[in-house]
């Protein structure tokens, strides 16, 4: 779905939730193959039995990718991603956990490089099935100002 939203239209404090997605063994294997991260924390069940976690934990970058992917349901042709700040992996995610994402508009500011646009900071929080925040980051958008 495409929906044009200009800088002036974003309201600080507005939020939305995505649907959920269950993390699977296949997610672990495919993500390790894509990234080359075969660290035993993600791939070695016997090793992880000896740790306080007791089982394998998802790659933080896997949780980030899936969590952000869940938010990509509306295309705004007046905005593009400038990147992410303050990314934190707060709690482990295990095979079988179901995650969803909450986004909240946290701030708006002028973009000194682009007078016809502003920056919108969207707080991204990925939650598990117990509503615990497992990942947080700030997504920075460059958004066009309303013409005229």
């Amino acid at each position: 779905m495409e929906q044009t939203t200009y800088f002036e239209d974003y309201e600080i404090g507005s939020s939305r939730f995505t649907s959920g997605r269950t993390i699977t063994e296949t997610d672990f294997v495919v993500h390790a193959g894509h990234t080359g991260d075969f660290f035993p924390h993600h791939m070695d069940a016997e090793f992880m039995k000896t740790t306080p976690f007791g089982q394998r934990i998802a790659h933080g970058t896997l949780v980030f990718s899936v969590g952000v992917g869940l938010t990509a349901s509306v295309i705004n042709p007046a905005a593009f991603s400038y990147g992410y700040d303050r990314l934190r992996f707060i709690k482990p995610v295990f095979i079988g956990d179901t995650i969803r994402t909450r986004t909240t508009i946290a701030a708006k500011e002028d973009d000194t490089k682009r007078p016809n646009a502003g920056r919108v900071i969207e707080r991204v929080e990925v939650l598990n099935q117990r509503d615990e925040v497992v990942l947080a980051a700030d997504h920075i958008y460059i958004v066009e100002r309303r013409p005229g």
Side-chain angles (χ1 to χ4, degrees):
M1 178 173 95
E2 184 174 302
Q3 179 179 344
T4 301
T5 305
Y6 293 104
F7 179 76
E8 295 81 1
D9 301 327
Y10 285 88
E11 294 181 30
I12 293 175
S14 65
S15 65
R16 65 184 173 112
F17 280 94
T18 70
S19 58
R21 186 175 177 292
T22 302
I23 301 299
T24 67
E25 166 88 26
T26 300
D27 292 323
F28 277 45
V29 173
V30 169
H31 192 76
H34 284 161
T35 62
D37 181 353
F38 292 92
F39 212 63
H41 293 75
H42 318 299
M43 305 307 292
D44 188 334
E46 295 305 315
F47 169 79
M48 286 306 288
K49 286 179 183 175
T50 67
T51 72
F53 297 109
Q55 59 183 307
R56 292 181 290 162
I57 58 174
H59 306 73
T61 52
L62 166 62
V63 176
F64 176 71
S65 298
V66 172
V68 168
L70 289 169
T71 70
S73 59
V74 177
I75 298 166
N76 180 3
F80 65 92
S81 177
Y82 189 64
Y84 292 84
D85 273 349
R86 303 193 307 178
L87 173 63
R88 297 291 181 270
F89 308 127
I90 298 168
K91 287 187 174 280
V93 172
F94 304 104
I95 293 171
D97 280 355
T98 299
I99 61 173
R100 62 190 178 120
T101 303
R102 173 176 54 214
T103 64
T104 305
I105 303 303
K108 295 167 58 175
E109 54 193 48
D110 293 333
D111 185 331
T112 56
K113 296 179 185 174
R114 302 169 187 87
N116 63 338
R119 292 183 184 195
V120 173
I121 313 302
E122 179 185 65
R123 186 72 175 163
V124 176
E125 295 172 301
V126 178
L127 299 96
N128 63 18
Q129 65 275 12
R130 293 176 295 282
D131 287 332
E132 299 168 325
V133 175
V134 298
L135 178 146
D138 287 340
H139 190 181
I140 304 165
Y141 290 99
I142 303 296
V143 184
E144 295 174 19
R145 294 183 186 275
R146 185 175 297 283

